Amino acid sequence: MQKSILKSMMNNFLGNAPNWYKYTIIIFLLINPVLLKVLGPFITGWIIMIQFIFTLSMALKCYPLPAGGLIALEAIILNMTSPKTVYKEVVVNFPLILLMIFMVAGIYFMKEGLLFIFSKVLIKVKSKLYLSLLFSFFAALLSAFLDALTVMAVIIAVIYGFYQIYHKVVSESHTDKEFDLSDDSQFKDNLKKDLENFRGFLRNLLMHGAIGTALGGATTLVGEPQNLLIGKIVGWDFVDFFIHTAPVSIPVLITGLITCIILEKFKIFGYHYEIPQSVRTILEKYKEEQNLMSDNKYKARLLTQGFIGIILIISLAFHIAEIGLIGLMIIVLLTAFTGIIDEHKIGNAFTEALPFTALLVVFFAIVAIIHDQNLFTPITKLVIGLDGNTQKVAYFTANGILSMISDNVFVATVYASETLEAFKAGLISKAQFEKLAIAINMGTNIPSIATPNGQAAFLFLLTSAVAPLIRLSYFEMIKLAIPYFFTMTTAGLIGMYFL
């Protein structure tokens, strides 16, 4: 009886995750107290951070919240950080949490209009190279004035819509089963290859768009959360920020777009997928059916979504309120003027964002460990002790490396505050202070694309509903980001040293 209960408990633990993964997490939890006793809090802190990154890398096997949450909870129990510090990190990042709760839900109510626009683009632009460049360029343009996470939410909504249309059409024509996007059993052998190619095609577009958010986000004061922090410390307004960072950010932007062209032209590093003709035919047919079925109510919804979309862009561009509050305003407007008044239908909009919001809070617990155990202090002291061009390059590199494994907003906060103290103490000149601010901005924005946990937008993509459907894993994201990482980081280093 006891054995069967223990076996059931083990089966329940982390649900359908592979047994080897379950045992790995249990081993982590058992050895951490021993490591703390033997190796001390500093080394154990780094090990716990690596363990958490491991749970992120296994996102397709098990959503990182349960396993990563257990590791973070144990670290708090072991006194490697405190609930007070975790709460402080959450409060500092509350604007990001508000954004995730309300803005992503707001985008959910705009899916119909977004799909209408982008399906037209997909059908008319038959060249994948042009389509990829279009995704990257417009993601960069929007991210320069809006928020990268918001833009990422739009791109995810579009890609999810495309996949849903194709999968639903094939499913309904081959089976009487209840429609399930994760069930491919109804696909015959001749269609499975098309499905895999379509998944690859969508992965490529998603990554081009994701890189675009980083390219545009680095250029302006409002592009990324840490940009506002850096601009405030140095005393730059929107125009000052753009002018000071342009000698580095613009060459990096151009390099990113050229990289997109090269990848698609020569079909390298996993960017070789084309949209199958059978899929294009289904999407074209869907578009025709939508045109035939479009009554006045449908057209009115599209017009309403378009008008509110313009309000959204203007509100974000002029930052009339915190981004999350703007998202709540969009939810109110869209639900009121498109007739969505049922609580259950409104609730569906929040199912995508809330698991990731919870994961973000767990992530901030890991950041709290980094803070309390001073894990980055040795690297920070090393680069602050340098001078001249060497210091600028070291700042860029250190911020990039640390942002790959941690939160880039946290890294920027640490380096910006330390650099401000050095400037106030007279250790660096005003000119060098401004150059180091540029290095912090570019370092946290560009090299951090190398890993999915380097940027909130990338982490959101990894844990989104669309990622498992198109087989976009942690390591697949790294593979697709690597060529961009090398070219854009090289351009950033050259810019920091010479420009």
Side-chain angles (χ1 to χ4, degrees), residues 328-350:
L328 180 56
M329 176 187 74
I330 295 301
I331 292 172
V332 171
L333 292 174
L334 283 168
T335 52
F337 288 99
T338 57
I340 302 171
I341 58 171
D342 182 80
E343 182 185 5
H344 178 70
K345 288 182 179 178
I346 293 173
N348 287 338
F350 294 90

Side-chain angles (χ1 to χ4, degrees), residues 283-325:
L283 294 178
E284 287 174 348
K285 188 177 179 182
Y286 168 82
K287 190 66 193 162
E288 289 172 5
E289 289 174 354
Q290 286 296 105
N291 291 335
L292 292 172
M293 292 169 62
S294 59
D295 54 14
N296 288 335
K297 272 192 173 183
Y298 175 74
K299 290 175 182 177
R301 286 199 305 273
L302 290 183
L303 284 172
T304 302
Q305 289 175 26
F307 180 70
I308 294 174
I310 293 169
I311 293 175
L312 170 63
I313 292 170
I314 293 171
S315 301
L316 289 169
F318 289 96
H319 202 72
I320 65 168
E322 277 296 341
I323 297 172
L325 295 180

Side-chain angles (χ1 to χ4, degrees), residues 384 417-429 433:
I384 287 177
S417 58
E418 292 285 347
T419 308
L420 180 62
E421 290 301 315
F423 172 64
K424 287 179 177 178
L427 300 176
I428 54 176
S429 65
F433 178 47

Side-chain angles (χ1 to χ4, degrees), residues 33 61 70 92 123 126 179 186 189 224 229 239 242 248 251-252 296-297 300 344 354 375 384 408 425 445 452:
K61 299 289 184 183
L70 284 174
V92 169
I123 290 167
K126 297 191 184 293
F179 175 65
Q186 67 276 19
D189 290 341
E224 291 281 357
L229 168 75
V239 176
F242 178 79
V248 184
V252 170
N296 288 335
K297 272 192 173 183
H344 178 70
L354 286 182
L375 300 187
I384 287 177
N408 53 6
N445 276 305

Side-chain angles (χ1 to χ4, degrees), residues 119-120 122-126 162 165-166 169 275-292:
S119 59
K120 278 197 167 188
L122 183 64
I123 290 167
K124 288 188 176 181
V125 182
K126 297 191 184 293
F162 286 153
I165 291 167
Y166 173 66
V169 168
I275 184 169
Q277 186 54 47
S278 64
V279 178
R280 182 180 289 279
T281 302
I282 286 173
L283 294 178
E284 287 174 348
K285 188 177 179 182
Y286 168 82
K287 190 66 193 162
E288 289 172 5
E289 289 174 354
Q290 286 296 105
N291 291 335
L292 292 172

